[in-house]
Amino acid sequence: MPLLGLYKEIVRRRYETTTRADEIHRIPCADGVRVAVKRFLPHANAERRRLPVLCVPGLGADSTNFDAPEPYGLAQWLAARGFDTWAIDLRGTGLSKLPYRRWVGVTFDDFVGLDLVAAVNHLCAKTGAPGVMMVGHSMGGLALYAMLARQEGARLRAGVTLGSPLGFPQGWEAMPLLKPLRGLGDIVPGLHVGPISQLLAPLALRFNGPSLRRFMVLDNVDTRMARRLMYRAVQSIPRGLMLQFREWIERDAFRSADGELDYRARLAGCALPVLVVGAPHDGLARLDAVRRALPLLPHARFLLAGRDEGLSTDYGHIDLLFGRRAHEEVFPRVAAYLEEHDALATPTRRLRVVGG
């Protein structure tokens, strides 16, 4: 055990990163749970944008996916360009801790109907803005779609989804590493990948197998940065969420845990302007599944993150945030879309830092 403790400390010192957020807000949800949201204030020398931006991470991740060291943190990158940017730790992830018994039952629907509704209301209250723009990666983009389907997006003004599939037509080929574990949701409280990920961070990306290539283009990712993210960002997945994603994968579905609400069907006709971003080498969010949003959303626009659109390479799933040139190629296109749907406001005084 002393050797294991020493190993953990060595890995922590090598891969731990610290937040670059200016504030951390703990927001009460309707069921009493508090979720943490990091705030990245607009830089003083940037033109101040009117609408705040809420960044939502994907499955098994936390706000670190947007709060990474420079140049990869999209939240800080947007703040440098005048956006009041927030990144949420959904319940049971990151700083949004839950009692274990409560964590086990967390579902995607809790993220959408409780966490994000509370976060959007909080952002509007704190900034005085009439609405919010949202950027979601993978499951975070699905959460944006689900808010629209549940008619809880009244305060949303625009959105960006990065690698967010409306279903999984490829079945378990989307997540081949989890296929052997698909029955565990019936017998275990959750998939405890967070602690395991920390232990294995030094070994990450050393083997470029087919399963890994479904998530990223290895040559397009800074491997040291990826290991640091694996150490800090990877989160354990509760049973409720495991079972919901299992059903989506096996049935190519996108619906609530009780099966009552078909998010994909209810999305049809939603008028929110959304930039739908897909990547040619994304094996998790396959392009045909990502493009399913386009005929449903009359004001959607599609961006292919690849050579056909003038980018230096064809991106993968993780690359959309952490590709070597994502901050030069993907981030500016996201910002341009957000700017298009935002009216510049008169610069105001720097906001006061609030307590936790």
Side-chain angles (χ1 to χ4, degrees), residues 144-163:
L144 166 60
Y145 292 148
M147 287 191 75
L148 299 179
R150 291 168 62 111
Q151 298 182 346
E152 290 173 336
R155 286 186 157 180
L156 297 180
R157 297 295 183 265
V160 178
T161 62
L162 301 161

Side-chain angles (χ1 to χ4, degrees), residues 95-233:
L95 300 176
S96 299
K97 304 298 183 185
L98 279 180
Y100 191 73
R101 289 184 178 179
R102 192 160 192 175
W103 172 81
V104 170
V106 168
T107 67
F108 173 81
D109 312 302
D110 297 326
F111 297 156
V112 176
L114 294 168
D115 299 0
L116 292 181
V117 169
V120 168
N121 290 337
H122 181 83
L123 266 62
C124 290
K126 287 298 179 181
T127 64
V132 172
M133 297 187 289
M134 187 179 292
V135 177
H137 178 247
S138 196
M139 185 193 72
L142 296 182
L144 166 60
Y145 292 148
M147 287 191 75
L148 299 179
R150 291 168 62 111
Q151 298 182 346
E152 290 173 336
R155 286 186 157 180
L156 297 180
R157 297 295 183 265
V160 178
T161 62
L162 301 161
S164 301
L166 282 177
F168 298 92
Q170 72 273 49
W172 280 106
E173 288 304 307
M175 298 183 183
L177 288 177
L178 295 183
K179 184 177 180 180
L181 308 177
R182 61 189 184 278
L184 289 180
D186 298 318
I187 57 176
V188 301
L191 194 60
H192 295 280
V193 292
I196 296 173
S197 178
Q198 290 189 345
L199 290 174
L200 297 180
L203 303 177
L205 311 186
R206 294 188 184 277
F207 307 100
N208 188 12
S211 296
L212 182 62
R213 289 197 294 270
R214 294 187 179 279
F215 291 90
M216 69 182 76
V217 179
L218 191 58
D219 291 342
N220 192 35
V221 176
D222 181 333
T223 54
R224 177 167 171 78
M225 183 68 244
R227 292 182 188 119
R228 295 174 75 180
L229 288 166
M230 183 175 177
Y231 179 84
R232 182 174 159 201

Side-chain angles (χ1 to χ4, degrees), residues 20 40 43 46 66-68 70-83 85 326-336 338-339:
R20 294 194 287 159
F40 303 79
H43 288 199
F66 299 99
D67 180 24
E70 197 173 6
Y72 297 105
L74 178 60
Q76 183 67 15
W77 194 94
L78 290 173
R81 285 147 185 85
F83 290 100
T85 309
H327 60 289
E328 299 173 351
E329 298 181 326
V330 179
F331 292 6
R333 287 166 168 81
V334 170
L338 296 176
E339 290 167 6

Side-chain angles (χ1 to χ4, degrees), residues 289-307:
V290 171
R291 286 191 172 109
R292 283 174 171 174
L294 301 179
L296 301 176
L297 301 171
H299 300 292
R301 188 183 306 168
F302 183 69
L303 170 65
L304 181 66
R307 290 189 175 93

Side-chain angles (χ1 to χ4, degrees), residues 270-282:
C270 290
L272 188 78
V274 178
L275 177 65
V276 177
V277 183
H281 289 315
D282 191 337

